[in-house]
Amino acid sequence: MSNPASSISADLTASSSILPPSPAPSTPRPQVTRRYKLETEIVYTESNDQYRSSSVPIYQTATFKQASGSEMGEYDYTRSGNPTRTHLERHLAKIMNANRVLAVASGMSAMDVIARLLKPGDEVIAGDDLYGGTNRLLKYLATNGEITVHHVDTTKVSAVIEKLTEKTALVLLESPTNPLIKICDIPKITQIVKQTVPAAIVAVDNTMLSPMAQNPLDFGVDIVYESATKFLSGHHDLMAGVIAVNDEKLGERLFFVVNATGCGIAPFDSWLLLRGIKTLAIRFEKAQNNAQIVAEFLEDAGFKVRYPGLKSHPQYDLHWSMAHGAGAVLSFETGSVEISERIVENARLWGISVSFGCVNSLISMPCKMSHASIDPKIRAERAFPEDLIRLCVGIEDATDLVDDLKTALVQAGAIKHSEK
Ligand code: PLP
């Protein structure tokens, strides 16, 4: 079988006439010397569609006919490549400042594709507050794939350095982490890893901030991946994952896995994700503003709040040296698991749900939900507060959100009526 997607996606400077319907890279008019701003790139697409359709067509097909037995077209089989997926991948490459992006079936698929770069005997250094699903996959690989995984507190660069050996094949970072909102020094860790073990890959899960607020590729990391189920799509109506790289050869290795395993995103989901991405900038800005208001309300009410938009965050300066936004996920402690449970149950506008990055606000207790797959003993070792409540802030009216939370706090007995 031919490898059509690989022949078209690596060279982003190729003339658009030989490309399937897809956006060109940043193409301001010749007299404009700067690049378009991200907000513009996110909505602006170019395409060579024969009917000049405003929205990219959904090529809902598994196969493509060949002109003859010996002439292969650009596409032959959707597992290997599909024009709607290509359009999405090229659009994402543009906004993630990447040479190549691969769009797959979920954030965990993205992580799985990256994990398949590992061989028996390899070592992985990862955070100690990873997303539960990532933790589960790494544990599976450690148990069944003869891979050693070191979980360290990545807020301490020295903790990463301590575990670096010539066997280190992957350093996996999240910043901010989810849900403890810990920040790690991505540029410094990357620089040290590259100097010490040049062959090791540094990968960053950027789901918590999206390209709107942070772009770790700009710090020299090898791979950025995201669960596009979150901010990128924004409506919790699809599962998707994206992997972004600058190194062409690494892109080819990752594409090989996508093609071999068949985890590439489906045409309809590609289209849905593209539609979601078009409103990313305004959704993200509104959600982030709301999150700041909610975080300040909770802090003023006396709770220990974790949010990088608050000056009280212990790594406030480090965060803002890398990011240009605080995101829309925060967490706080109440001092009692029972009170936390009652707060969650008494919230109304805040839907009790895992996940984040959606237009509507969500509330959860990570220990019982998104992070329940982490052994309670390990959670205790990592000082994970069992009473932690995570808030994933949406784009509703901020006063409504605060009022609803206030009511839940009062009903749960966490604050007195008059306190706030
Ligand atoms: N990374 C982070 C930080 C997440 O929160 C999640 C899901 O919640 C994932 C990765 C996995 O993404 P998905 O659910 O799209 O497989």
Side-chain angles (χ1 to χ4, degrees):
M1 183 180 298
S2 71
N3 182 346
S6 65
S7 61
I8 50 166
S9 53
D11 182 7
L12 286 173
T13 57
S15 144
S16 63
S17 62
I18 60 156
L19 294 170
S22 66
S26 301
T27 52
R29 293 167 184 280
Q31 58 271 37
V32 181
T33 49
R34 62 170 176 78
R35 286 187 64 161
Y36 288 134
K37 296 274 193 261
L38 195 51
E39 288 81 350
T40 309
E41 295 279 33
I42 276 170
V43 293
Y44 176 66
T45 58
E46 289 171 356
S47 115
N48 61 357
D49 174 62
Q50 57 183 323
Y51 300 114
R52 303 179 66 79
S53 76
S54 302
S55 163
V56 64
I58 307 171
Y59 285 85
Q60 191 64 39
T61 180
T63 53
F64 298 81
K65 290 180 190 166
Q66 295 184 198
S68 72
S70 57
E71 285 172 87
M72 305 291 275
E74 279 177 314
Y75 296 96
D76 58 0
Y77 196 53
T78 281
R79 172 155 48 74
S80 309
N82 176 286
T84 317
R85 189 195 303 159
T86 305
H87 188 103
L88 166 71
E89 290 177 338
R90 289 176 55 80
H91 191 58
L92 280 163
K94 195 175 66 158
I95 65 178
M96 294 175 87
N97 215 8
N99 179 35
R100 185 165 191 182
V101 165
L102 299 165
V104 293
S106 70
M108 285 320 304
S109 267
M111 179 55 210
D112 183 45
V113 168
I114 296 163
R116 283 171 197 257
L117 298 173
L118 299 168
K119 312 182 296 302
D122 281 348
E123 296 195 1
V124 177
I125 302 174
D128 60 0
D129 180 33
L130 288 176
Y131 165 61
T134 308
N135 203 75
R136 178 169 46 205
L137 180 58
L138 289 176
K139 193 168 169 208
Y140 176 84
L141 291 172
T143 313
N144 300 292
E146 293 170 52
I147 281 151
T148 303
V149 182
H150 303 286
H151 289 283
V152 302
D153 179 356
T154 48
T155 60
K156 299 190 183 87
V157 177
S158 59
V160 177
I161 295 173
E162 256 170 47
K163 296 291 178 196
L164 271 177
T165 72
E166 76 283 358
K167 287 187 181 161
T168 307
L170 177 66
V171 176
L172 186 59
L173 304 172
E174 283 181 31
S175 187
T177 60
N178 161 29
L180 295 182
I181 321 289
K182 295 205 274 186
I183 312 294
C184 71
D185 193 335
I186 302 171
K188 195 166 199 177
I189 293 175
T190 305
Q191 191 198 6
I192 291 169
V193 172
K194 294 284 149 200
Q195 274 165 3
T196 323
V197 195
I201 284 170
V202 180
V204 177
D205 179 340
N206 198 44
T207 311
M208 287 278 279
L209 289 184
S210 92
M212 280 318 298
Q214 182 168 268
N215 190 0
L217 281 182
D218 294 345
F219 311 143
V221 313
D222 302 290
I223 303 175
V224 170
Y225 74 101
E226 291 195 16
S227 164
T229 314
K230 314 290 192 284
F231 289 110
L232 286 172
S233 70
H235 297 76
H236 282 176
D237 49 12
L238 81 141
M239 301 292 301
V242 301
I243 310 167
V245 294
N246 272 323
D247 182 83
E248 226 171 281
K249 285 209 179 94
L250 182 57
E252 280 304 312
R253 285 171 71 195
L254 294 165
F255 171 73
F256 178 88
V257 178
V258 173
N259 189 27
T261 61
C263 64
I265 189 170
F268 182 71
D269 285 349
S270 300
W271 179 85
L272 212 47
L273 179 52
L274 259 167
R275 192 170 73 152
I277 289 170
K278 299 269 176 72
T279 55
L280 172 65
I282 50 164
R283 281 189 287 103
F284 194 81
E285 191 185 351
K286 172 74 172 156
Q288 190 167 250
N289 290 343
N290 282 353
Q292 184 71 32
I293 293 167
V294 171
E296 285 171 12
F297 158 72
L298 286 168
E299 191 166 61
D300 289 351
F303 294 100
K304 179 178 175 194
V305 185
R306 299 166 197 250
Y307 183 59
L310 294 176
K311 290 247 165 62
S312 57
H313 192 290
Q315 294 148 306
Y316 181 87
D317 291 334
L318 175 61
H319 175 80
W320 289 96
S321 71
M322 299 183 291
H324 34 274
V329 180
L330 58 117
S331 58
F332 69 104
E333 289 163 50
T334 65
S336 151
V337 174
E338 291 71 34
I339 288 181
S340 294
E341 281 171 346
R342 287 204 296 272
I343 294 169
V344 169
E345 277 154 24
N346 280 298
R348 185 168 168 191
L349 279 181
W350 301 79
I352 307 174
S353 174
V354 293
S355 203
F356 57 87
C358 187
V359 286
N360 52 292
S361 294
L362 306 172
I363 190 166
S364 65
M365 284 187 70
C367 285
K368 295 186 180 295
M369 298 166 70
S370 53
H371 291 62
S373 61
I374 301 176
D375 190 328
K377 265 199 291 185
I378 292 177
R379 289 204 302 261
E381 274 165 31
R382 295 179 189 169
F384 197 109
E386 299 282 314
D387 61 325
L388 195 77
I389 294 181
R390 187 179 75 173
L391 297 177
C392 305
V393 188
I395 64 170
E396 304 91 334
D397 176 76
T399 310
D400 286 343
L401 287 177
V402 170
D403 282 353
D404 193 64
L405 195 55
K406 206 186 294 180
T407 306
L409 291 167
V410 171
Q411 285 175 344
I415 58 170
K416 297 222 168 30
H417 210 289
S418 54
E419 273 178 43
K420 270 279 136 192

